[in-house]
Amino acid sequence: MQAPDSEVIVTERIIKPAHNLTGTLRLPGDKSISHRYAMLAGLAEGTSTFSNFSTGADCASSLGCVAVLGAKVEWLPEDGPNAGRVAVTGTGGRFSPSNAALDCGNSGSTMRIMSGLLAAQEGEFTLVGDASLSRRPMERIRKPLAQMGAQIALTDGHAPVTVRGTNLTGIDYTTPIPSAQVKTALLFAGLQAEGTTTVRESVRTRDHGELALRAFGATVERTLDSVSITGKQKLKAIEAAVPGDMSSAAFFLCAAALFPESNLVLDGLGLNPTRATLLDVLTALGATVAVLNLEEKNTELIGTVQLNPPPKGLGGTTVSGALAAQLIDELPVLAAIAPYSRNGIRIRDAKELRVKESDRIALVVQNLRAMGAEVEEFEDGLDIPGGQQLHGARIDSGGDHRIAMAFSVAALRAEGDTAILGAESAAISFPEFFDMLENVAER
Ligand code: S3P
């Protein structure tokens, strides 16, 4: 059973070169936080209301799943700053089994995290995805959830995922590869299990799962490298504004950094330290990044970021080890701006890029070469020398939203026009991307 293939390339978008990026933007809500809020609100008691909820198709998949499972999901009328308001009335801890398959679309977070949430629920549930999601590894969630007692069947390690809910027991688990999706799936299962579930990780991955659990009233204990939850806790509905998505902001921050005359301000941006590593990398590359108005809202940090590019252009850097894991979603756009730096960018320890929505290492290499760049490919990364001038080309996004947006950024400093094939895939995380880019790109 497979949902329709969302990879069919239907839209070509032409990106013209620009001189700089100038203006103020407010990014749509963070995708990772929106997924977690949708799922926990679906399980909680009462009606949760979110403003600035992610407008991406991925989070709509999570909302769609909880709706099929008995939660009531209602988009509230869009009214200026409250655009993206959604209300979710939860099921009070008990999802209804459904004969309909749960369609996760293109979203790995939906499939993996929902599997954890459903593992302790009564009934049988089948999660399906599009062609890209059906190729992605699911054993990483099946194995630890099975240790908790879960009954999960995969097809050759992949979707469809069939979960037969049962009583779970807490475990102490060390993740073999850093993954916030796996950690969150285990914590959401642990919330409903007997005893305590502990997840240990070698790199602290994004911690929105644990923070969202706290926001919904659960007790979660943390040490530097572990997070624990004791089961049988109940969640209460919340009202929250979702911070702007740093991984979407990354396209604008990197694009602005390419032009000495840019001046970009991003308001209401999520600044959770497990997500803000890009700001350190841009600083290391020579940009000036100012963080203003920092506040904590519903356990998450939010603030304003002002980026001023280095007057003499970007320097160079290496991203490897823990940095590579924390920057995993930003690596395609960092690679896309690397040829324009003076000293190049080297990326290692990023093998996970090969099992994202596409093989992101292969597609970055293919598309950089199409634009005339020199690049060396490694199994776990790439070396991109600096001081290169690229030319416009036809870019194959492979139906991968981050590839489509990363190469739209590379196109801004290329000679001539660039065509992004499969540009519609941007809507997976960021439907407003091209309109916002046109608003701030000065030509
Ligand atoms: C995510 C975690 C990361 C990231 C993905 C979203 C999340 O995946 O790449 O876009 O919301 O937890 P992994 O957990 O596979 O590293």
Side-chain angles (χ1 to χ4, degrees), residues 25 131 138 140 142 183 228 289 316 329 365 377 383 401-402 437:
L25 293 175
M138 293 297 146
R140 55 183 65 191
R142 196 205 60 80
K183 174 176 62 174
S228 301
V289 178
D329 290 342
V365 168
E377 178 172 1
D383 274 3
H401 55 129
R402 297 208 196 277
L437 188 60

Side-chain angles (χ1 to χ4, degrees), residues 31-33 35-36 109 112-113 136 140 178-184 205-206 208 247 275 325 328-329 352 356-357 360 401-402:
K31 184 159 86 78
S32 293
I33 298 174
H35 280 303
R36 287 152 173 83
S109 296
R112 294 186 177 130
I113 302 174
R136 297 182 64 188
R140 55 183 65 191
S179 167
Q181 290 173 354
V182 172
K183 174 176 62 174
T184 307
T205 60
R206 62 191 73 190
H208 306 302
S247 299
R275 292 292 298 287
I328 198 76
D329 290 342
E352 274 293 295
K356 291 292 177 189
E357 286 82 330
R360 288 184 172 159
H401 55 129
R402 297 208 196 277

Side-chain angles (χ1 to χ4, degrees), residues 51-397:
S51 57
N52 203 41
F53 191 86
S54 166
T55 44
D58 268 5
C59 296
S61 294
S62 286
L63 287 172
C65 287
V66 296
V68 168
L69 293 165
K72 186 172 159 219
V73 174
E74 200 184 355
W75 283 97
L76 303 171
E78 294 201 7
D79 43 4
N82 289 334
R85 283 187 68 212
V86 64
V88 179
T89 304
T91 54
R94 190 140 176 196
F95 287 133
S96 334
S98 156
N99 290 331
L102 298 167
D103 185 357
C104 304
N106 191 244
S107 172
S109 296
T110 306
M111 185 169 276
R112 294 186 177 130
I113 302 174
M114 278 303 305
S115 297
L117 202 56
L118 292 172
Q121 290 282 317
E122 224 167 86
E124 190 172 296
F125 310 90
T126 302
L127 298 99
V128 298
D130 69 6
S132 152
L133 182 53
S134 302
R135 284 192 291 269
R136 297 182 64 188
M138 293 297 146
E139 182 60 19
R140 55 183 65 191
I141 46 136
R142 196 205 60 80
K143 193 172 160 222
L145 287 169
Q147 286 176 23
M148 297 178 78
Q151 296 181 18
I152 296 183
L154 307 174
T155 310
D156 200 17
H158 301 103
V161 179
T162 305
V163 180
R164 189 168 304 136
T166 184
N167 290 333
L168 303 182
T169 313
I171 54 166
D172 189 320
Y173 187 73
T174 302
T175 49
I177 24 172
S179 167
Q181 290 173 354
V182 172
K183 174 176 62 174
T184 307
L186 297 180
L187 294 175
F188 285 12
L191 169 76
Q192 308 166 79
E194 287 291 343
T196 300
T197 299
T198 299
V199 184
R200 298 177 197 277
E201 44 184 9
S202 56
V203 174
R204 183 180 269 194
T205 60
R206 62 191 73 190
D207 61 358
H208 306 302
E210 37 275 54
L211 295 183
L213 281 162
R214 281 188 180 159
F216 278 83
T219 302
V220 177
E221 308 286 350
R222 301 214 283 184
T223 68
L224 268 184
D225 61 357
S226 76
V227 49
S228 301
I229 187 161
T230 299
K232 307 290 176 195
Q233 299 192 55
K234 297 261 174 275
L235 303 180
K236 281 218 175 65
I238 61 168
E239 213 165 282
V242 181
D245 193 318
M246 177 60 85
S247 299
S248 297
F251 300 106
F252 294 98
L253 292 167
C254 288
L258 288 176
F259 305 100
E261 263 127 63
S262 298
N263 185 351
L264 185 70
V265 176
L266 303 177
D267 276 336
L269 190 60
L271 288 165
N272 177 317
T274 62
R275 292 292 298 287
T277 312
L278 178 70
L279 302 182
D280 301 330
V281 172
L282 287 169
T283 306
L285 286 166
T288 305
V289 178
V291 174
L292 317 160
N293 312 324
L294 193 62
E295 357 167 29
E296 189 184 317
K297 282 193 183 160
N298 293 94
T299 72
E300 289 283 355
L301 286 180
I302 187 162
T304 296
V305 167
Q306 175 165 23
L307 180 119
N308 288 105
K312 292 195 190 117
L314 297 166
T317 195
T318 293
V319 177
S320 61
L323 275 188
Q326 283 170 344
L327 278 167
I328 198 76
D329 290 342
E330 289 74 65
L331 292 178
V333 67
L334 271 176
I337 61 167
Y340 303 116
S341 68
R342 286 197 313 277
N343 306 319
I345 297 183
R346 214 176 134 254
I347 297 170
R348 287 293 185 288
D349 305 318
K351 205 170 159 198
E352 274 293 295
L353 285 177
R354 295 211 180 263
V355 290
K356 291 292 177 189
E357 286 82 330
S358 67
D359 177 342
R360 288 184 172 159
I361 295 179
L363 270 183
V364 164
V365 168
Q366 175 191 325
N367 287 315
L368 279 176
R369 287 187 180 146
M371 296 183 80
E374 191 190 309
V375 45
E376 194 177 348
E377 178 172 1
F378 295 85
E379 187 48 28
D380 68 339
L382 48 169
D383 274 3
I384 306 152
Q388 307 192 58
Q389 178 54 49
L390 309 190
H391 55 72
R394 287 173 75 73
I395 296 300
D396 174 9
S397 71

